[in-house]
Amino acid sequence: MKRRPPPRRQRQPDDGEIAAAWIRRGINDLDDSYPSEARRPLGWVAPSRDRPPPECPRHLVRHWLTGWDLRAAVRQRWDDQAAQMEAQLDKARRFLDRHSEPGKLTRSSAIALHFHVLATGERGPDYAWTWFQARMADARDEYRDAQAEGLL
């Protein structure tokens, strides 16, 4: 008769891993959407900072709030970047669109559209912001050259 090996005990997560999991949960809970693969239950309300999930133990609520605050700060930064992008494009629109043809996509609109596509894609808003700043630096150089040549 063969001897079976003793059952393996699963390693229990330590307090740091549990806290990190609740920070990640707080980051994900800020998302206003419900998982697409799951059906939204009747009466479902997006979680708010004032109401941590009921399954969160009281001693770990601060970790959930840390994740919530991190995600809220990132979301605010991304919203600010979109507003700054619009403001910069409004200032440069006259120069960027000076040679545009009627009925075609203007250069400023193409830049704004590309920014939004990059921001919502895999690379994220921070990459889109870096890309946009590089495009605006190129446009500033182009503007200075045109001014120096007397074309404006």
Side-chain angles (χ1 to χ4, degrees):
M1 186 165 170
K2 286 186 178 179
R3 285 187 79 180
R4 289 193 311 187
R8 289 185 112 174
R9 289 190 179 172
Q10 257 187 330
R11 187 180 75 79
Q12 295 296 318
D14 64 356
D15 290 341
E17 291 171 334
I18 294 172
W22 277 105
I23 288 174
R24 284 192 303 276
R25 170 75 187 266
I27 288 171
N28 294 333
D29 278 351
L30 183 59
D31 204 3
D32 299 332
S33 61
Y34 199 75
S36 61
E37 65 275 357
R39 261 208 130 120
R40 186 178 295 180
L42 273 172
W44 179 81
V45 177
S48 73
R49 190 182 191 287
D50 303 330
R51 189 175 42 90
E55 64 271 11
C56 183
R58 291 181 74 67
H59 68 284
L60 293 173
V61 167
R62 66 187 167 97
H63 296 292
W64 181 84
L65 289 172
T66 300
W68 179 275
D69 292 340
L70 284 172
R71 176 69 182 265
V74 167
R75 184 172 278 184
Q76 182 62 45
R77 186 181 80 234
W78 292 346
D79 291 345
D80 290 347
Q81 287 174 349
Q84 289 174 7
M85 183 269 306
E86 291 293 337
Q88 286 185 23
L89 271 182
D90 283 343
K91 289 179 186 176
R93 193 171 311 274
R94 210 172 108 222
F95 172 74
L96 291 173
D97 299 342
R98 68 189 187 283
H99 296 302
S100 63
E101 298 176 24
K104 291 197 176 184
L105 187 66
T106 61
R107 188 170 165 201
S108 61
S109 297
I111 290 173
L113 181 64
H114 196 75
F115 174 83
H116 288 295
V117 167
L118 286 174
T120 56
E122 290 178 9
R123 293 186 176 170
D126 291 327
Y127 177 81
W129 180 249
T130 304
W131 174 86
F132 175 74
Q133 290 302 323
R135 293 299 76 72
M136 292 311 289
D138 293 345
R140 277 191 221 70
D141 292 343
E142 185 181 331
Y143 179 77
R144 287 184 191 116
D145 292 345
Q147 230 177 5
E149 294 173 10
L151 300 174
L152 298 179

